[in-house]
Amino acid sequence: MTEFKAIQKKALQEWLSLQNSPYPIIYVGMGSCGIASGAGEVWEQVHKTIKKENIKAQVHKVGCIGPCYLEPFLDIQKPGLPRMSFNNVDVQRTGKLVSEFTNGTGSKHKPLGHLGPQGKQINGTRSFWDQPMLKNQVRIVLRNCGIINPENINHYIARDGFKGLLKALNHGPEVVIAEIKKSGLRGRGGAGFPTGLKWQLCRKAKGNPKYLICNADEGDPGAFMNRSLMEGDPFALLEGMLIAAFAIGADHGYIYIRAEYPLAIERLKIAIQQMNDLELLGDNILDSGFSFDIRLKEGAGAFVCGEETALIASIEGKRGMPRSRPPFPVTSGLNGNPTNINNVETLATVPAILREGADWFSGIGTEKSKGTKTFALVGKIRRTGLIEVPMGTTLRKIIFDIGGGPLKPFKAVQTGGPSGGCLSEKFLDLPVDYDSLSQAGSIMGSGGLIIMDENTCMVDVAKYFLRFTSNESCGKCVPCRIGTSRILEILEKITAGKAEVKDLEILEKLAKSVKNGSLCGLGQTAPNPVLTTLKYFKDEFLEHIENNRCPAAVCRDLVEYRVIADKCTGCQKCVSVCPTGAITGPRSEPHFLDLEKCIKCRACYEICRFDAIAGDAIEIV
Amino acid sequence: MADTIQSILKKFRQNNQSFLIPILQSVQEKEGFISKAATERISEHLRLSKSHIYGVASFYSQFKFNPPGRHSIKMCLGTACHVQGGDFLLHALEAEIGIIPGETSEDGKFDLDRVACLGCCALAPVLMIDNTIHSRMSVIKLKETLETYD
C-alpha cells in the first residue's frame, strides 16, 4: 500500500500543476457525440493555431460533459481562473478563441459558463453547473465525465480514484458485500436486482474459477449512457470491477462491449494498459494477494445478448441464445462456473459507495430505489444529452426543467427501450424509480428517455419497436418468434389502413400471450410498447382504423403530398432534393408533383418549409 | 488472400470455439466480409463444420457475406433517429442509391446496412459513412452529403 501512496502523490502533483498552470490549458470534448458534431476538426484547429502563433499551452481531450446539443465544447483555462467553457464551436471560431482568448484580447467571446463552483459569478460569467439543464442534476457516476482526461490514469487517481478499492482491500470481501447490500444499490441494466445479494450468491456458489462479466452491450436503441461513461471515465468502471471481483472471489473478468462503440473500446484498452503498468491489475494487486485480469470481448450485434445467459453463450463462441433459468449464472455461468454479471453503470457506482459509505448513498433516492440514475434524454426535446438525477425525480422535472420541454405540444415519453412502454401526459408527475415505472406498464430499463410530440404517430412507434424485437428475437421459443411477427403484421395492417376494430382485441390478446409465454426477458417485455400505446393512446389506433387517417401524418399509406399552387414560388428547391424526380416544373411557375413517382420521403416538404425562398407550399394530407 | 487468413488464424489457439467470433471479426476487418474460402479455413482451424460457422456468423448482424462497396453506409435506426425521421431518411436513401439494406450498389460505390443504434441519439438522425458520423441529417442534406464521396 505504501507504493500506492507514492502513486497518489505523483498523480496529485500532476493534477495540481495542471490546475495552477502558468500557461493556458485547453480542453476539447472528445466523446463520440462531440466527434460527430465536429470535435475532431476543432482538436486539429487548436493544435494548428497554437503552433502557428507559438502559444504556450497544453491541450487535453475530455469525455462528454452531458449537454450533447451544445457540442462541440472547447474549454480554456487561464492562470488564476477556472475553466471557461465555450459551446457549439466550429473550426473558425476555435482559431479565434484560441488566439484571442489566451492572449487577453478576447473579451468579446462570451463563455457559456465556468467550471468553478456553483452559484458563483466569475468575470461576469455564471457557473456551467447553474444552467437549467445541469442545476437539477446530482452527478455521482458522471462526476469525472468531461472533467478528466480519460486517457490519463493520474487524473482519475488525483480525484479520489481507487480509494474505494483500497477500502475494500483493507476491510475484506464480507464487509464489501454488507456495505453494498446496505446501500440498497440495484442493477442499473433495467431489472433492478439487488446488487449486494447477487454478489453474495456468487461468493457462496461452489466452483472455480469464478468469473465477473461487465455487460456493456448497451443494446437499447436510443440509449447511450454506458458509452458516454466508458468514454469519459473508463477507470470508474474498472475500479468497480476490481471491487466486485474481490468481493465475490472472481479471478477473471470480461467486458462484453458492443463493436459499434470503437472509441469506448479504445479508451478501455488504454485504461487497462495504464492499470497494468501501475500493477492495479494482474497478479497480487497492491500486495494484497488478490489477483484479477480483465479481457474485452466485442459483441457482434445481437440485442438478445443483453440477456445474461445469451451473453454467456456469445462469449463461449456460440449463437447468442438464452437458456431457461435456473440454474442462474451466479451458480452455473461461463464454462459452467459461477459467474456474476453486472451492468456498466452498476459497477461504476460501486467505488463511490465504498468511498463515501452506504449511508451517504442510501440517503439519495426513494425508499426502494437508492442513489442516482443516468438517462439519455433524446427525441423531440430542446436540450438533448446525458443527465444524472436522484431516483424518484419526476418525469416532469426531467423533461421540462432539465430538458426544456418539447418544441411542439408534448405527447408521450418512452422509457426502457424496446422492453419499456410509452407513457402519456397524465404520468408526468410520476416519480422515476423501478417500482413506479413498472406499475405504469413500462420499465426503468437502462435509461433511455425518448420524448415524443404531436408529430409522432404512436401506432408507428409501436410498429417500430415490434419490428425491432421480431428482428432480434433469437428464434428459440415459439411465443416470441412467431408472436412478435404476428403482432407486427397486425400493426402493419393498421398503419396501412386495412385493419378492423376487432383486430385490436386480437392484438391485445396476442400481446399478453407473448408476455406470459416467452422464455427470456426479450419476449416477456417485447409486447410492452404495444400494450402501453393501446392503453394510453387508443384514440390514435381507432383513428387509423375507422377514418383511415394518421393524425401525425407519419404513416405513409394514409397520406398524400400535394403542391399548393397559390403558395408555390417556383423556386425549384424541391426539384433538386427529390430522389425520384417526382416533382417537375419550370422556374417561377407552380410545380407539379407526380403521385405515381412520389415515395413520400418528406424531402420536398422539409425544404419547402425551411428554405427562405420557398413558400411552405407542400402539404401532407 | 490465403496469407491474410493464415496470419489471423495464427493468433488464435486451435480447436477452441470461444475464438470463433473474434476470428470472424478479424477476418471481416481485414477482408470486409466472410467469404466461403475463409469459412473453410476457419473450419479446419477450429474443427467446426462450415454450417456451424455460418450458423453462428449469420446470427449476428455484424457479419457480411457479400463483398462491400467502396464506401459503407450504416443508417442508424435507433428510437431517437426513428422519432426524428430516420425512416424517411432511409427511404430516400434507398431511392437515391438504388439498393436496400444488405446490398451493394452495382457500380460498387456504396453498400448499405441498418444498425440498431450508433449511440449518438442526441444528434439524431445520424448515419455513418465509413467511419464518419453525419449528425443531424435530413432528407434535404442527403444528396450533397453523398456527392462528397467517390
Side-chain angles (χ1 to χ4, degrees):
Chain A
M1 306 280 169
T2 45
E3 229 174 276
F4 189 68
K5 284 221 169 87
I7 295 171
Q8 263 176 325
K9 198 175 157 195
K10 190 174 152 258
L12 206 61
Q13 270 170 358
E14 184 181 329
W15 181 249
L16 286 177
S17 75
L18 196 69
Q19 307 308 309
N20 305 319
S21 160
Y23 310 112
I25 314 277
I26 299 165
Y27 301 86
V28 184
M30 300 277 278
S32 281
C33 43
I35 292 170
S37 309
E41 288 85 19
V42 168
W43 174 261
E44 272 170 31
Q45 184 63 29
V46 169
H47 286 278
K48 261 191 220 159
T49 314
I50 291 178
K51 202 172 167 197
K52 196 174 124 207
E53 306 193 5
N54 216 357
I55 300 169
K56 250 192 167 163
Q58 263 191 55
V59 193
H60 280 276
K61 56 175 86 166
V62 292
C64 172
I65 200 161
C68 301
Y69 75 111
L70 297 173
E71 298 270 15
F73 277 106
L74 176 75
D75 297 359
I76 302 177
Q77 174 199 313
K78 290 203 289 186
L81 286 172
R83 268 158 73 172
M84 295 288 173
S85 186
F86 297 90
N87 60 294
N88 297 111
V89 294
D90 55 17
V91 170
Q92 208 188 0
R93 191 152 164 250
T94 300
K96 281 191 185 152
L97 270 173
V98 170
S99 66
E100 293 170 15
F101 198 77
T102 48
N103 70 18
T105 61
S107 56
K108 63 175 185 290
H109 301 291
K110 292 279 172 250
L112 173 75
H114 65 75
L115 291 178
Q118 209 169 348
K120 200 174 154 193
Q121 290 236 341
I122 293 174
N123 287 355
T125 302
R126 65 174 176 176
S127 167
F128 184 86
W129 311 111
D130 283 331
Q131 298 177 71
M133 185 168 186
L134 288 136
K135 72 177 176 195
N136 290 306
Q137 296 190 36
V138 176
R139 291 165 77 91
I140 295 173
V141 180
L142 300 179
R143 68 186 183 105
N144 279 331
C145 287
I147 307 293
I148 64 164
N149 182 341
E151 297 178 5
N152 185 334
I153 193 168
N154 284 339
H155 287 197
Y156 180 74
I157 295 175
R159 287 174 56 90
D160 296 334
F162 300 108
K163 280 194 180 163
L165 173 69
L166 284 185
K167 221 169 169 179
L169 295 178
N170 281 331
H171 288 86
E174 303 292 345
V175 177
V176 174
I177 290 177
E179 192 76 358
I180 297 297
K181 274 171 100 172
K182 198 173 149 203
S183 75
L185 177 66
R186 293 169 69 177
R188 299 299 196 237
F193 191 81
T195 307
L197 182 60
K198 203 186 224 179
W199 289 10
Q200 190 176 39
L201 291 170
C202 193
R203 178 168 184 76
K204 283 187 179 155
K206 288 199 177 78
N208 261 318
K210 288 179 182 170
Y211 295 101
L212 171 74
I213 300 177
C214 167
N215 183 353
D217 188 45
E218 192 171 44
D220 281 10
F224 57 89
M225 300 77 50
N226 295 170
R227 170 184 68 68
S228 269
L229 181 57
M230 291 184 287
E231 287 173 3
D233 190 10
F235 299 105
L237 167 63
L238 298 172
E239 185 186 351
M241 285 184 76
L242 277 173
I243 297 170
F246 176 69
I248 60 177
D251 317 81
H252 305 289
Y254 287 97
I255 303 177
Y256 187 84
I257 183 168
R258 304 181 67 196
E260 285 91 340
Y261 287 174
L263 188 62
I265 293 172
E266 188 193 318
R267 298 240 161 107
L268 281 169
K269 279 186 182 159
I270 295 171
I272 290 172
Q273 185 56 48
Q274 292 185 350
M275 283 172 66
N276 275 325
D277 293 345
L278 294 182
E279 294 177 2
L280 285 161
L281 270 177
D283 289 334
N284 195 13
I285 293 165
L286 297 177
D287 242 353
S288 62
F290 162 59
S291 303
F292 188 61
D293 60 62
I294 296 177
R295 266 172 266 182
L296 292 180
K297 277 270 175 183
E298 288 180 37
F303 176 67
V304 70
C305 289
E307 204 279 341
E308 48 185 21
T309 55
L311 189 154
I312 290 171
S314 177
I315 292 185
E316 291 171 347
K318 300 173 188 155
R319 289 162 68 98
M321 287 162 119
R323 59 162 174 80
S324 58
R325 301 176 299 177
F328 288 92
V330 285
T331 51
S332 175
L334 187 60
N335 305 326
N337 289 344
T339 305
N340 182 82
I341 304 182
N342 288 128
N343 164 273
V344 173
E345 192 181 338
T346 317
L347 290 165
T349 308
V350 166
I353 297 175
L354 271 267
R355 210 172 51 232
E356 313 282 341
D359 293 330
W360 163 80
F361 187 78
S362 62
I364 305 164
T366 65
E367 198 198 329
K368 287 189 177 159
S369 304
K370 302 296 185 191
T372 56
K373 177 80 194 78
T374 58
F375 289 102
L377 200 55
V378 295
K380 308 248 183 167
I381 189 157
R382 280 195 180 86
R383 297 193 278 265
T384 54
L386 178 67
I387 62 162
E388 181 174 359
V389 290
M391 290 278 189
T393 307
T394 63
L395 282 169
R396 189 183 300 280
K397 194 164 181 185
I398 294 175
I399 296 166
F400 289 87
D401 296 351
I402 296 177
L407 286 166
K408 298 240 170 101
F410 173 86
K411 187 187 264 184
V413 52
Q414 208 278 341
T415 76
S419 314
C422 296
L423 301 176
S424 63
E425 205 179 348
K426 71 174 185 191
F427 290 99
L428 277 177
D429 292 307
L430 193 78
V432 178
D433 58 47
Y434 295 102
D435 312 290
S436 311
L437 283 171
S438 51
Q439 262 166 33
S442 185
I443 62 159
M444 170 81 88
S446 58
L449 284 180
I450 296 114
I451 316 301
M452 299 166 186
D453 67 7
E454 59 178 18
N455 286 345
T456 315
C457 169
M458 300 314 289
V459 188
D460 176 70
V461 167
K463 187 174 83 174
Y464 161 79
F465 280 118
L466 262 294
R467 181 167 296 147
F468 179 83
T469 35
S470 69
N471 268 334
E472 293 293 337
S473 171
C474 78
K476 184 167 180 171
C477 75
V478 179
C480 176
R481 182 180 69 229
I482 300 183
T484 52
S485 300
R486 291 286 172 270
I487 295 176
L488 178 62
E489 279 168 19
I490 299 177
L491 292 169
E492 279 170 345
K493 234 164 100 180
I494 299 174
T495 56
K498 289 175 185 158
E500 297 165 53
V501 178
K502 72 167 199 278
D503 284 326
L504 291 185
E505 261 171 61
I506 305 174
L507 185 63
E508 198 174 337
K509 213 172 151 188
L510 195 55
K512 283 183 178 157
S513 327
V514 173
K515 202 176 160 83
N516 295 331
S518 294
L519 173 67
C520 82
L522 191 149
Q524 287 158 12
T525 57
N528 283 348
V530 179
L531 289 168
T532 49
T533 42
L534 255 182
K535 197 162 160 195
Y536 305 130
F537 301 95
K538 194 162 189 179
D539 292 356
E540 277 192 45
F541 283 81
L542 291 173
E543 191 67 17
H544 281 77
I545 296 170
E546 289 171 344
N547 301 329
N548 277 352
R549 204 178 77 87
C550 173
V554 170
C555 296
R556 229 173 259 132
D557 292 330
L558 304 180
V559 296
E560 224 167 60
Y561 288 60
R562 282 190 208 144
V563 179
I564 310 169
D566 292 349
K567 278 189 173 177
C568 180
T569 59
C571 69
Q572 294 204 312
K573 290 272 176 193
C574 55
V575 178
S576 71
V577 294
C578 179
T580 58
I583 306 186
T584 46
R587 186 167 281 284
S588 304
E589 272 175 47
H591 296 337
F592 171 73
L593 198 160
D594 184 350
L595 290 178
E596 293 280 301
K597 284 188 187 163
C598 177
I599 57 161
K600 301 173 186 177
C601 73
R602 250 180 136 100
C604 55
Y605 175 76
E606 301 269 327
I607 202 155
C608 201
R609 274 183 74 197
F610 296 113
D611 194 83
I613 319 160
D616 195 5
I618 293 182
E619 60 177 352
I620 308 177
V621 286
Chain B
M1 187 213 84
D3 292 329
T4 327
I5 303 283
Q6 188 55 39
S7 64
I8 291 169
L9 292 177
K10 256 196 340 223
K11 292 182 205 146
F12 298 94
R13 266 207 320 273
Q14 284 185 318
N15 309 342
N16 185 332
Q17 176 164 4
S18 72
F19 293 128
L20 175 56
I21 293 171
I23 290 174
L24 288 168
Q25 283 169 329
S26 305
V27 170
Q28 175 144 312
E29 196 190 318
K30 282 274 183 296
E31 307 210 307
F33 72 112
I34 311 292
S35 64
K36 269 191 184 164
T39 310
E40 269 170 38
R41 302 286 301 282
I42 301 170
S43 158
E44 288 160 19
H45 190 78
L46 294 181
R47 293 205 182 206
L48 294 168
S49 71
K50 284 176 274 179
S51 63
H52 183 101
I53 292 173
Y54 182 75
V56 172
S58 60
F59 183 83
Y60 297 97
S61 60
Q62 189 188 3
F63 300 114
K64 295 179 184 183
F65 306 98
N66 293 316
R70 288 198 297 285
H71 302 288
S72 294
I73 308 180
K74 286 190 177 132
M75 178 68 218
C76 180
L77 289 176
T79 319
C81 289
H82 180 81
V83 169
Q84 298 282 36
D87 196 34
F88 290 98
L89 199 56
L90 176 63
H91 210 58
L93 186 59
E94 288 171 354
E96 195 66 54
I97 56 178
I99 50 171
I100 56 167
E103 293 181 348
T104 303
S105 64
E106 261 178 38
D107 58 3
K109 187 170 170 185
F110 292 115
D111 64 85
L112 177 63
D113 265 302
R114 48 173 122 198
V115 289
C117 188
L118 290 169
C120 293
C121 316
L123 310 167
V126 301
L127 60 83
M128 187 156 101
I129 305 184
D130 301 332
N131 282 318
T132 310
I133 289 181
H134 296 268
S135 59
R136 296 196 181 93
M137 270 306 290
S138 80
V139 270
I140 306 170
K141 288 200 285 189
L142 202 54
K143 268 191 189 174
E144 47 174 310
T145 307
L146 293 178
E147 272 164 15
T148 59
Y149 291 85
D150 53 30

